[in-house]
């Protein structure tokens, strides 16, 4: 099946010469939730802006629903709902009009029942006659979401929808996202909260310095997180992992003083007892043992700092 969003070698160099996207390739399946993680300045908003037609890519090609975002801008844009990172609302407009206006902009027929449903789900119904400048920051964020949903988009982009919002809105947002996914909407969100990505995303992409470092099923990433390491400090230095231990998933640290054994924490047999006895047979004497578990947070930090790039997409 054709991907809903196809990104092929997308590049963006801003007018000043800054290269914000250095060739990003990614296909986003219809109906999936993809979370983009990455530090400040990684290029997340730039990528979204290029997909949504707010910025023109300087290289590569992007299609949404099969439509090129530059050559067929209107067709592509019509399929997209965008919740931008920055609040950009008319301060003196009323909530109801703001949302209805957006639906109209996209050429959708008036459907007040639909808009009422959206406003109710976002707990904005009571505020429908309030002016934007009478709303709190979190409420303004809800209005942005209502606007993005007002024209029933097939693809929804949420650029840090839960930055600075309270727990309640975060929960509401997750619920709305789950509901939209159930209806077949494709959702791409950026977040700085790893737990959030874990909780709602089917796949997680990590972006840093304009490059996509990894895209992986959340479950697979979690399985990786389940990996645990046994660090074995040796009483004498080794030059290489001894042949007698080649059957184990062992790595020798560069200095030759530590063997690292990676095992699956959830496996019935960790193989540690077997390893210990094999080491004894091989005449290797150990000085100390430590276990270490890598978290998604660590995997993320390592990736972003370029220390662990073997999983790169
Ligand atoms: N209009 C612009 N002109 C020049 N440089 C820009 C422009 N917009 C963004 N940049 C630069 O591109 C890089 C990527 O910015 P971008 O906003 O895409 O990052 P981000 O991943 O969304 O970060 P954050 O997590 O802070 O939102 C940054 O170095 C930024 O300064
Ligand atoms: Mg951003």
């Amino acid at each position: 099946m054709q991907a809903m969003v196809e990104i092929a070698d997308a590049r963006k160099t801003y007018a000043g010469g800054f290269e914000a996207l250095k060739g990003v390739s990614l296909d986003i399946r219809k109906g999936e939730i993809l979370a983009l993680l990455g530090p400040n300045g990684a290029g997340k908003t730039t990528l979204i802006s290029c997909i949504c037609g707010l910025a023109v890519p300087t290289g590569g090609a992007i299609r949404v629903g099969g439509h090129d975002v530059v050559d067929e801008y209107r067709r592509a844009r019509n399929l997209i709902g965008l919740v931008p990172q920055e609040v950009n609302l008319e301060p003196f407009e009323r909530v109801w009009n703001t949302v209805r206006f957006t639906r109209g902009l996209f050429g959708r027929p008036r459907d007040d029942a639909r808009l009422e449903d959206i406003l109710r789900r976002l707990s904005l119904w009571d505020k429908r006659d309030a002016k934007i400048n009478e709303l709190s920051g979190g409420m303004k964020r809800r209005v942005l979401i209502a606007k993005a949903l007002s024209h029933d988009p097939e693809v929804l982009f949420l650029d840090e929808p839960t930055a600075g919002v309270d727990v309640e809105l975060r929960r509401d947002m997750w619920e709305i996202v789950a509901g939209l996914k159930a209806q077949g909407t494709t959702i791409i969100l950026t977040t700085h909260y790893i737990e959030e990505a874990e909780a709602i995303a089917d796949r997680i992409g990590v972006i840093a310095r304009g490059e996509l470092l990894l895209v992986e099923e959340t479950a697979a990433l979690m399985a990786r997180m389940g990996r645990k390491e046994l660090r074995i400090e040796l009483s004498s230095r080794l030059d290489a992992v001894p042949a007698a231990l080649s059957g184990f998933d062992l790595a020798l640290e560069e200095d030759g003083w530590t063997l690292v054994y990676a095992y699956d924490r959830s496996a019935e047999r960790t193989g540690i007892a077997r390893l210990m006895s094999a080491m004894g047979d091989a005449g290797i004497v150990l000085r100390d043992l430590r276990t270490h578990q890598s978290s998604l947070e660590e995997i993320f930090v390592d990736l972003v700092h370029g220390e662990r790039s073997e999983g790169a997409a």
Side-chain angles (χ1 to χ4, degrees), residues 44-46 85 159-160 190:
K44 303 179 298 293
T45 299
T46 300
Q85 185 170 9
D159 198 353
E160 294 189 36
T190 72

Side-chain angles (χ1 to χ4, degrees), residues 14-16 18-20 38-47 85 159-160 192 207:
Y14 282 109
F18 184 80
E19 215 184 345
N40 290 134
K44 303 179 298 293
T45 299
T46 300
L47 181 61
Q85 185 170 9
D159 198 353
E160 294 189 36
H192 285 279
I207 181 164

Side-chain angles (χ1 to χ4, degrees), residues 167-223:
V167 180
E168 199 186 337
L169 175 51
R170 184 166 303 172
R171 295 271 159 218
D172 286 357
M173 209 277 298
W174 291 6
E175 232 168 75
I176 289 163
V177 165
L180 289 166
K181 181 188 158 72
Q183 293 165 26
T185 309
T186 306
I187 296 153
I188 294 97
L189 65 105
T190 72
T191 178
H192 285 279
Y193 304 111
I194 290 171
E195 332 78 68
E196 179 162 285
E198 275 180 45
I200 58 176
D202 298 309
R203 279 199 298 168
I204 293 177
V206 177
I207 181 164
R209 297 178 296 271
E211 288 178 278
L212 189 64
L213 301 180
L214 159 151
V215 193
E216 204 167 318
E217 303 292 328
T218 307
L221 213 49
M222 291 302 110

